[in-house]
Amino acid sequence: MNPSVNSMNRVVVTGMGVISPIGNTVEEFWENLKEGLSGIDRVSRFDPSQFSSQIVGEVKGFDASKYMERKEARRMDLAQQYAIASAQQAFDQSVLGSDSLDPERAGVVVGSGIGGIETFEKQHAILLNQGPNRVSPFFIPMMIIDMCAGLISMRFNFKGPNYATVSACASGAHAIADAFRIIQRREADVMITGGSEASITPASLAGFCSARALSTRNHEPQKASRPFDKERDGFVMGEGAGMLILESLEHAQKRDAEILAEIVGVGQTADAYHITAPAPEGEGAVRAMKLALKDAGLAPDSVDYINAHGTSTDLNDLTETLAIKKVFGERAKEIPVNSTKSMVGHLLGAAGAVEMVATIKSIQEGVLHPTINYEFPDPECDLDYVPNRSRKADVSVALTNSFGFGGHNITIAIKKFVP
């Protein structure tokens, strides 16, 4: 039997961590977002000259040894290293300790769209060239998507609910939604949640190139990701991780934790339409936003800001714009809407989590980061996209959207914390 609304826990955020193409801490990531810094450049890990798209948002200067022993790192895929690093940052900010934590009431839900594909490609090459006996005994645990959550639970001795979410580009947001529900239902007091992705590999890039989903603006990488701009020609692959510590309000207040924001509602839908294209006029996205507002008990007029999915593809940006108009009517043009992907690219399964961090920083600081590369207005995309320069804004209520191949839609509603 589901608990009544009145008996449900309030859920707050007390820690955040980020590994991204524009910074490997929340502070660096956020400062560079506000400055409008692009993390997009030519692929450096392999020769991309045969690929139609040769540009990506790679994580730069990541040092796994700051978070784990070198031997441990060699037994993890890069996606797992990013997950551990960002989880450690979030845990440290939350100042959680063994004296304030029941391990059996603490869990982990972490999403990834693709998981350890770099490991898969390398070990498959070994299988073909050297035979089955040379395949690493760590191949499977380094590859499977659930291991980010498993490794995090082992690191922090979290013995509560523990699993992965997989919904393509909505994976990280779905993980946060599940963690939110688990605490709301009083099944745990604390959750580490978010998403991690490290899929900048030859096979991944080739697959997205063949699907004609990527920008081919190879001659000017930093201008390639241009959400809502008329000259947009596809998304740019990115990588990284975002993690959050969620707690019940009661648990956080009992230990006098600093509360960064409150998650108040979630809306989840399916397009049931096409494997890659969004439903016409954003029908699924409309329902996701409406459900999130209903779940939060919020009126559309209360929303101050939307962190868009904003991929820089022709169809997504158009349908997301239409969806916002359908939900908010005439007021849609008054609501600032921005795209974090304009600077970091599309972090796939980690996107929703990293964008949640950006949204919470906007609430905390009263600043909206820009959507960069907005140079040529599209008559069909005519909202306020916070073009090119950051802006001060009082944000009490925000929505963040994530949509994934397969027709997955999710909207999360976040509020400035008021006791």
Side-chain angles (χ1 to χ4, degrees), residues 245-256:
I245 302 291
L246 307 190
E247 294 185 59
S248 70
L249 175 59
E250 180 183 7
H251 190 273
Q253 288 180 326
K254 190 178 292 184
R255 65 183 194 86
D256 199 27

Side-chain angles (χ1 to χ4, degrees), residues 58-189:
E58 291 177 335
V59 168
K60 304 158 189 74
F62 176 70
D63 183 359
S65 67
K66 290 182 179 179
Y67 302 96
M68 64 197 78
E69 297 294 327
R70 293 187 186 279
K71 181 180 180 182
E72 189 182 9
R74 286 196 298 270
R75 295 175 176 178
M76 292 185 195
D77 186 84
L78 199 54
Q80 296 163 359
Q81 294 179 23
Y82 292 164
I84 290 286
S86 52
Q88 186 67 59
Q89 293 173 23
F91 187 85
D92 290 347
Q93 184 184 17
S94 72
V95 202
L96 278 165
S98 56
D99 58 334
S100 60
L101 192 66
D102 176 355
E104 295 182 10
R105 299 279 303 168
V108 186
V109 183
V110 174
S112 185
I114 298 178
I117 191 166
E118 182 180 41
T119 294
F120 184 93
E121 288 184 37
K122 288 179 177 178
Q123 294 301 315
H124 186 249
I126 289 171
L127 172 66
L128 295 181
N129 297 321
Q130 301 177 43
N133 294 332
R134 301 305 300 272
V135 170
S136 169
F138 297 100
F139 170 40
I140 300 301
M142 288 173 70
M143 177 193 68
I144 53 181
I145 289 174
D146 73 295
M147 202 54 69
C148 289
L151 290 167
I152 290 170
S153 74
M154 294 172 212
R155 186 181 186 92
F156 299 107
N157 193 37
F158 280 21
K159 296 184 175 182
N162 183 273
Y163 58 93
T165 53
V166 185
S167 50
C169 310
S171 300
H174 273 125
I176 295 166
D178 276 15
F180 164 69
R181 293 290 191 222
I182 287 167
I183 296 174
Q184 197 180 48
R185 295 192 302 258
R186 301 181 181 272
E187 294 172 12
D189 301 318

Side-chain angles (χ1 to χ4, degrees), residues 10 15 42 60 69 72 82 108 115 146 155 175 178 196 215 222 227 283 292-293 297 332 334 365 368 379 384:
R10 290 174 68 182
R42 185 176 169 84
K60 304 158 189 74
E69 297 294 327
E72 189 182 9
Y82 292 164
V108 186
D146 73 295
R155 186 181 186 92
D178 276 15
S196 187
S215 171
Q222 296 187 348
E283 180 272 335
L293 292 171
E334 300 172 13
E365 293 194 9
L368 305 178
D384 174 8

Side-chain angles (χ1 to χ4, degrees), residues 300-306 331 334-336 368 393-398:
D301 286 354
S302 66
V303 175
D304 301 308
Y305 157 59
I306 300 170
R331 189 170 172 268
E334 300 172 13
I335 303 172
L368 305 178
D394 184 20
V395 181
S396 295
V397 176

Side-chain angles (χ1 to χ4, degrees), residues 209-290:
C209 284
S210 293
R212 297 183 180 178
L214 301 179
S215 171
T216 56
R217 193 182 288 258
N218 300 318
H219 60 291
E220 44 184 4
Q222 296 187 348
K223 290 194 171 185
S225 185
R226 43 198 314 116
F228 307 107
D229 184 85
K230 191 174 183 180
E231 299 295 313
R232 66 191 183 275
D233 72 326
F235 76 84
V236 177
M237 282 183 69
E239 63 172 355
M243 295 291 161
L244 300 96
I245 302 291
L246 307 190
E247 294 185 59
S248 70
L249 175 59
E250 180 183 7
H251 190 273
Q253 288 180 326
K254 190 178 292 184
R255 65 183 194 86
D256 199 27
E258 179 187 3
I259 293 172
L260 309 179
E262 181 176 5
I263 299 177
V264 291
V266 170
Q268 305 176 77
T269 67
D271 287 344
Y273 173 70
H274 189 273
I275 57 172
T276 57
E281 300 189 1
E283 180 272 335
V286 169
R287 289 187 292 113
M289 284 186 273
K290 285 183 175 179

